[in-house]
Amino acid sequence: MKKRIVVALGGNAILTTDPSAKGQQKALAHTAYYLADFIEAGHELIITHGNGPQVGNLLLQQQLGATEKNPAMPVDTAVAMTQGSIGYWLENALVAELKKRNLSKNTATILTQVVVSETDPAFQAPSKPIGPFLSKEEMEVEKQQTSAVFVEDSGRGFRKVVPSPKPIDIVEYPVIQQMVENGIITIAGGGGGIPVVIKEGIYQGVEAVIDKDFASEKIAALVHADMLVILTGVDHVSINFNQPNQADLTKVRVAEIEKYIEDNQFAPGSMLPKVQAAITFIKENAKGKAVITSLENIKNLLEEETGTIITA
């Protein structure tokens, strides 16, 4: 039976060890191979994706080349720019993969603005890492050039952090819904969307990055998706992760997984936001399903419903 599915791509679906355009295009060709299974099965598909490394690298490139006559762009504009570049690569990768399968579908990317609140406490506590890891010396140089905030990340170096407010609304969701209803494979919400606030009825960009899983959930709820699929690096969400008694979660109800959150089973900034986004989607759409699994497990998900499947 045809379903409307929102698939949220993890960072490893776009960027591996090669940050060049060719490297990312190659990674997305690999990603498209798996995503095409949804389309071949006859489902309506909306694809969202992250952009943390890409937007961070773009900001760094702009800062290094900025002059008074050619200033660097703000974060919201950089998010829009990377929405365009990643969408362009992903569109072409999907068209190429579908052609191999003798399938023809229109594919389009929509620049997506996501409304946030100016009073969101996240603006007082920047926490979302973007861009590359820097040494202490590199970090000190950039701090002298900009007003950026940095944090040390698990002994791997220092990363720039920006506010990560929660999404309130998706400006373009009626257009996204119309596109998917007309059979168009839609790429939307890239990088969590372009963060905007409403001032005197006008949308204005702000310096922030929205978590792409929360933005994906908001899109899925607004377009009445049947399923939200959040892709990550593992086939299942686990409790007691990396311990002798690790256990994979397969089919789990919201009430049960909320108890695991209370027990601090999921790492903040890693699995926790994915689980929270999945729970929010189910609470807004009790008939829907949320799935957390890997890109490589898509075929098993479609055929056998394997992965971590969360229901009401």
Side-chain angles (χ1 to χ4, degrees), residues 21-228:
K22 284 187 177 180
Q24 294 181 77
Q25 286 169 316
K26 184 177 179 181
L28 282 167
H30 176 77
T31 297
Y33 170 80
Y34 292 99
L35 292 180
D37 287 341
F38 286 112
I39 301 158
E40 193 167 28
H43 300 302
E44 296 176 343
L45 189 62
I46 299 168
I47 305 165
T48 66
H49 61 81
N51 73 341
Q54 291 86 357
V55 77
N57 288 342
L58 177 59
L59 289 169
L60 185 58
Q61 290 163 3
Q62 291 197 38
Q63 288 164 6
L64 291 173
T67 65
E68 186 176 344
K69 292 184 177 180
N70 186 26
M73 295 293 106
V75 171
D76 60 301
T77 302
V79 171
M81 293 165 74
T82 53
Q83 277 192 4
S85 60
I86 294 170
Y88 153 60
W89 293 331
L90 183 52
E91 279 185 40
N92 287 342
L94 282 167
V95 169
E97 180 57 38
L98 292 175
K99 188 175 181 180
K100 293 177 185 176
R101 305 186 189 201
N102 295 316
L103 294 171
S104 178
K105 294 280 286 184
N106 289 324
T107 305
T109 300
I110 181 165
L111 291 180
T112 310
Q113 300 174 91
V114 177
V115 180
V116 300
S117 170
E118 283 188 284
T119 60
D120 192 304
F123 285 107
Q124 306 304 317
S127 62
K128 186 73 172 176
I130 60 173
F133 291 97
L134 303 179
S135 67
K136 186 174 182 180
E137 292 75 19
E138 291 170 326
M139 180 266 294
E140 292 293 348
V141 170
E142 188 170 341
K143 280 184 72 174
Q144 291 175 4
Q145 297 174 342
T146 70
S147 58
V149 177
F150 289 85
V151 297
E152 189 172 8
D153 192 320
S154 306
R156 294 180 290 177
F158 294 84
R159 292 185 79 186
K160 180 178 178 177
V161 290
V162 296
S164 184
K166 291 290 191 300
I168 296 172
D169 196 11
I170 308 294
V171 177
E172 291 81 10
Y173 93 83
V175 181
I176 296 169
Q177 183 163 308
Q178 187 173 3
M179 287 170 68
V180 77
E181 285 174 353
N182 282 277
I184 300 170
I185 302 165
T186 305
I187 302 165
I194 303 161
V196 296
V197 295
I198 302 174
K199 290 187 176 181
E200 298 180 357
I202 303 297
Y203 298 115
Q204 294 186 13
V206 290
E207 292 274 300
V209 170
I210 301 164
D211 186 284
K212 59 94 180 163
D213 294 317
F214 290 125
S216 301
E217 180 283 319
K218 186 60 68 177
I219 290 173
L222 288 170
V223 303
H224 308 291
D226 300 295
M227 185 182 295
L228 170 64

